[in-house]
Amino acid sequence: MDSISIAISKGRIGKEASTVFKKIGLGDSIDINSRKLIFKDEKNKINYIYVKPLDVVTYVQNGVADLGVVGKDIILEKDSDVYEIYDLGFGKCKFAVAGKKNKHTYSKDKLLKVATSYPNITKKYFDKKQQKIKIIKLNGSVELAPLVGLSDVIVDLVETGNTLKANGLYIIEEMFDISARLICNRISYRFKYDRIFNLVEKLKELKH
């Protein structure tokens, strides 16, 4: 049996991925509460690599991991060369444009200042709308930007909307839905197809 390596995002998606793999009998070696970064499942010949979300795609794309579990937001932002082979159905949220009520100006004739942690996704979205924008890249607390006049609007992930409401912001446009995805290295998909196919089938059975 071919061995496979799976890169899993740290954080909430990693926690849910661990639960899902355990439900299909493959994740007993994973202990996300430990400080270990590699978990070896000798019985099923699987190595789990526990890394930051942005690094999951890098590990898979470079063939260090055959598979990866990561949010669709990361896949879109990294514009990576990997196969997206299964929607795991957890980690659901959405991308949205948000701003202050009655304060945003949204005209194609005016340069829109957009604060975001996702510059590539933001650029592609507004390019399609033919909206001129200036992207202000932030690494966190994006909601602060329109409140202090740094931007007109923000583009960010929204799960419950509570953070927006707490800061007096509201959703102007919903862009698209996001969830956790199983991704695959292109070469691994070809040469380890049987193992990967069987794993995906087990994940599908779990949903039914």
Side-chain angles (χ1 to χ4, degrees):
M1 182 165 60
D2 289 331
S3 63
I4 58 172
S5 296
I6 305 175
I8 297 177
S9 298
K10 288 184 175 180
R12 187 164 61 90
I13 283 182
K15 187 176 181 181
E16 295 195 51
S18 167
T19 301
V20 166
F21 282 122
K22 286 177 181 176
K23 283 182 179 176
I24 61 173
L26 298 179
D28 289 343
S29 63
I30 303 173
D31 180 6
I32 59 173
N33 295 316
S34 78
R35 299 181 71 85
K36 291 174 66 177
L37 299 175
I38 298 177
F39 307 101
K40 291 182 177 292
D41 180 346
E42 301 289 355
K43 178 184 173 185
N44 295 299
K45 294 190 179 301
I46 300 176
N47 292 327
Y48 297 95
I49 305 169
Y50 200 43
V51 297
K52 289 185 176 180
L54 280 171
D55 293 334
V56 169
V57 175
T58 302
Y59 277 72
V60 174
Q61 186 166 305
N62 287 281
V64 175
D66 301 297
L67 298 167
V69 177
V70 68
K72 175 75 174 178
D73 55 315
I74 303 296
I75 299 169
L76 291 172
E77 182 63 21
K78 297 273 282 189
D79 197 17
S80 53
D81 185 27
V82 296
Y83 286 140
E84 184 183 317
I85 57 175
Y86 190 60
D87 183 348
L88 291 158
F90 56 79
K92 290 184 176 179
C93 55
K94 58 194 170 192
F95 263 109
V97 182
K100 294 172 70 175
K101 281 189 176 179
N102 305 319
K103 292 290 185 183
H104 76 277
T105 53
Y106 213 117
S107 165
K108 287 186 178 179
D109 300 327
K110 186 176 180 180
L111 183 70
L112 188 70
K113 291 189 292 182
V114 187
T116 185
S117 301
Y118 299 90
N120 294 330
I121 291 171
T122 300
K123 183 178 185 309
K124 288 178 184 175
Y125 181 76
F126 283 106
D127 279 351
K128 286 183 180 176
K129 296 169 68 72
Q130 297 183 315
Q131 171 68 52
K132 293 181 290 185
I133 64 169
K134 176 184 178 183
I135 294 176
I136 299 163
K137 172 75 165 61
L138 295 176
N139 295 311
S141 302
V142 177
E143 297 85 357
L144 182 61
L147 303 180
V148 298
L150 183 62
S151 72
D152 299 308
V153 297
I154 64 171
V155 166
D156 204 8
L157 288 172
V158 178
E159 186 174 0
T160 64
N162 290 336
T163 304
L164 292 178
K165 289 178 184 175
N167 289 287
L169 304 176
Y170 80 112
I171 293 176
I172 299 168
E173 287 181 24
E174 292 186 3
M175 296 164 62
F176 36 78
D177 294 326
I178 296 295
S179 60
R181 307 297 168 95
L182 185 68
I183 60 173
C184 183
N185 172 273
R186 288 177 177 272
I187 295 174
S188 300
Y189 189 78
R190 180 179 175 188
F191 289 102
K192 298 183 179 181
Y193 178 80
D194 288 344
R195 284 224 63 188
I196 292 167
F197 176 80
N198 290 333
L199 190 151
V200 172
E201 286 301 301
K202 287 184 178 180
L203 292 171
K204 288 180 178 176
E205 289 172 7
L206 193 62
K207 279 191 176 180
H208 295 298

